[in-house]
């Protein structure tokens, strides 16, 4: 871990040496870009959950009496990463994309212990109830996918169908990483994120250059030229994370990874679709070969060739078609 931190610090030092004063320049975005209030995406709402007292923001599309499809984003994202799915699935479902705890316009407690897995799962359970439902089609990407896996494992009664995008089953992730040094290396940022304050500071550097490169760089960013983020799309994310303290919560998810209690149950009872962009530089596609053993129902794995980690934004037409096919084949 010390070596990894030293590498990241060296990178920061190189940036400072090259950019000097500009390395420390960033600005808070005072007003949101228009895309965040685009009426075609749905209506904005807030709910305050009974157990935690925290207020959560969400965007909902589709009629209230329809089956709930709950969308959980990853890092560093907000509800807006589901814009293509909000428009696509509102014809048949009540589609809700929430800002997870610590993200966007949802409440963001600052203490590390507020981001333990049990609290994050309680948020999702509370959200389903607050929206007036007893179960849902649960869709998750990245960290949202990790939470979706865990909810499906621990609360099978809440998950009618499970759709996961570029997020390994929790048991697979740790066992695969132990056996594959290449994945351990790709996950080295997790160890750096354990350091207090420094990751947040580095994300701010050069006016959020790292955040922008996550989506836009040739190595990590969205591959499909037709779906690359516009300046306005990019500003939606920068606006959200530029607010004071806005990065503390997201990094605290990672800071609790090693303190979470190991699960005693690993099986998923719901029909499950896993969609995976095979150009993900953080998570190896080889992980997908080990997921099916944990699914005690219909299981489909669909690898999207040429797609990045941001698969639902990179190839929305492909992803939406895969989702429709899975949902229609497994209708109750």
């Amino acid at each position: 871990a010390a070596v990894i931190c030293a590498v990241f610090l060296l990178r920061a030092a190189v940036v400072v040496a090259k950019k000097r004063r500009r390395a420390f320049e960033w600005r808070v975005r005072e007003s949101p870009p228009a895309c965040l209030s685009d009426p075609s995406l749905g209506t904005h709402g807030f709910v305050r959950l009974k157990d935690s007292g925290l207020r959560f923001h969400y965007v909902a599309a589709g009629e209230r009496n329809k089956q709930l499809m709950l969308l959980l984003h990853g890092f560093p994202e907000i509800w807006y990463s589901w814009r293509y799915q909000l428009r696509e699935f509102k014809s048949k479902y009540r589609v809700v994309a929430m800002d997870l705890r610590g993200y966007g316009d949802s409440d963001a407690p600052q203490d590390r212990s507020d981001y333990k897995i049990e609290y994050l799962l309680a948020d999702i359970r509370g959200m389903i109830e607050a929206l007036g439902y007893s179960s849902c089609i649960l869709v998750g990407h990245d960290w949202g996918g990790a939470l979706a896996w865990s909810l499906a494992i621990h609360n099978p009664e809440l998950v009618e169908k499970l759709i996961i995008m570029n997020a390994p089953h929790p048991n697979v992730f740790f066992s695969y990483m132990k056996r594959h040094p290449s994945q351990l290396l790709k996950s080295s940022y997790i160890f750096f994120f354990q350091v207090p304050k420094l990751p947040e500071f580095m994300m701010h550097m050069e006016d959020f250059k790292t955040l922008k490169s996550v989506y836009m760089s040739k190595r990590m960013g969205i591959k499909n030229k037709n779906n690359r983020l516009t300046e306005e799309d990019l500003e939606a994310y920068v606006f959200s994370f530029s607010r004071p303290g806005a990065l503390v919560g997201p990094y605290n998810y990672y800071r609790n990874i090693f303190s979470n209690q190991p699960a005693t149950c690993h099986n998923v009872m719901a029909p499950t679709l896993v969609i995976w962009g095979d150009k993900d530089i953080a998570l190896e596609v080889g992980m997908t070969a080990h997921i099916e053993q944990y699914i005690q129902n219909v299981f489909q794995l669909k690898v999207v060739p040429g797609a990045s980690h941001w698969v639902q934004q990179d190839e929305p037409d492909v992803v939406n078609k895969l989702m429709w096919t899975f949902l229609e084949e497994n209708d109750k």
Side-chain angles (χ1 to χ4, degrees), residues 298-317:
V298 172
F299 174 70
Q300 294 182 16
L301 167 65
K302 301 295 181 180
V303 175
V304 182
S308 67
H309 178 75
W310 321 106
V311 63
Q312 82 274 27
Q313 300 181 74
D314 202 330
E315 293 287 354
D317 293 341

Side-chain angles (χ1 to χ4, degrees), residues 41-57:
L41 296 177
T43 57
H44 293 253
F46 291 88
V47 294
R48 190 171 295 279
L49 301 188
K50 291 185 295 185
D51 290 346
S52 66
L54 297 179
R55 191 179 77 148
F56 286 82
H57 169 254

Side-chain angles (χ1 to χ4, degrees), residues 172 287-300:
V172 170
M287 291 186 189
T288 59
H290 306 281
I291 293 174
E292 187 172 7
Q293 62 185 305
Y294 297 106
I295 313 302
Q296 307 302 308
N297 205 313
V298 172
F299 174 70
Q300 294 182 16

Side-chain angles (χ1 to χ4, degrees), residues 93-158:
Y93 302 99
R94 175 68 166 172
V95 189
V96 174
M98 65 181 289
D99 279 333
L100 295 176
R101 175 185 292 227
Y103 283 87
D105 290 318
S106 290
D107 281 350
Q110 296 290 291
D111 195 84
R112 171 178 171 167
S113 64
D114 288 321
Y115 293 85
K116 291 181 178 179
I117 187 71
E118 57 262 35
Y119 299 142
L120 304 176
L121 295 180
D123 293 342
I124 303 167
R125 290 194 296 266
M127 193 72 178
I128 295 169
E129 181 182 358
L131 292 169
Y133 291 84
S134 58
S135 61
C136 70
I137 296 166
L138 191 59
V139 185
H141 169 252
D142 185 80
W143 257 107
L147 296 177
W149 278 122
S150 292
L151 192 78
I153 291 166
H154 297 294
N155 294 100
E157 73 284 359
L158 298 180

Side-chain angles (χ1 to χ4, degrees), residues 48 57 77 89 108 134 143 205 239 249 257 269 291 296 319:
R48 190 171 295 279
H57 169 254
E77 298 174 289
F89 292 97
S134 58
W143 257 107
M205 290 178 71
F239 165 77
I257 281 181
M269 308 310 294
I291 293 174
Q296 307 302 308
V319 166

Side-chain angles (χ1 to χ4, degrees), residues 198-272:
L198 187 58
E200 290 92 326
F201 174 75
M202 288 184 65
M203 184 71 88
H204 282 92
M205 290 178 71
E206 293 189 88
D207 198 37
F208 302 95
K209 183 178 180 180
T210 298
L211 176 61
K212 296 171 186 175
S213 69
V214 158
Y215 294 109
M216 304 298 285
S217 70
K218 185 176 181 180
R219 181 169 176 264
M220 179 176 258
I222 290 170
K223 308 299 181 188
N224 189 329
K225 293 180 180 179
N226 297 322
N227 293 318
R228 285 183 181 159
L229 299 190
T230 65
E231 282 297 319
E232 190 177 20
D233 291 334
L234 197 56
E235 278 299 302
Y237 295 108
V238 176
F239 165 77
S240 177
F241 292 109
S242 73
R243 290 179 283 190
L247 286 165
V248 175
Y251 281 116
N252 278 339
Y253 280 63
Y254 291 95
R255 290 168 182 149
N256 279 282
I257 281 181
F258 301 112
S259 61
N260 291 327
Q261 293 297 316
T264 54
C265 175
H266 306 288
N267 290 337
V268 173
M269 308 310 294
T272 300

Side-chain angles (χ1 to χ4, degrees), residues 162-180:
L162 181 66
I163 300 176
I164 301 290
M165 301 180 195
N166 282 73
H169 182 286
N171 218 39
V172 170
F173 178 65
F174 289 106
S175 61
Y176 185 91
M177 191 162 57
K178 288 176 184 176
R179 298 193 311 273
H180 295 81

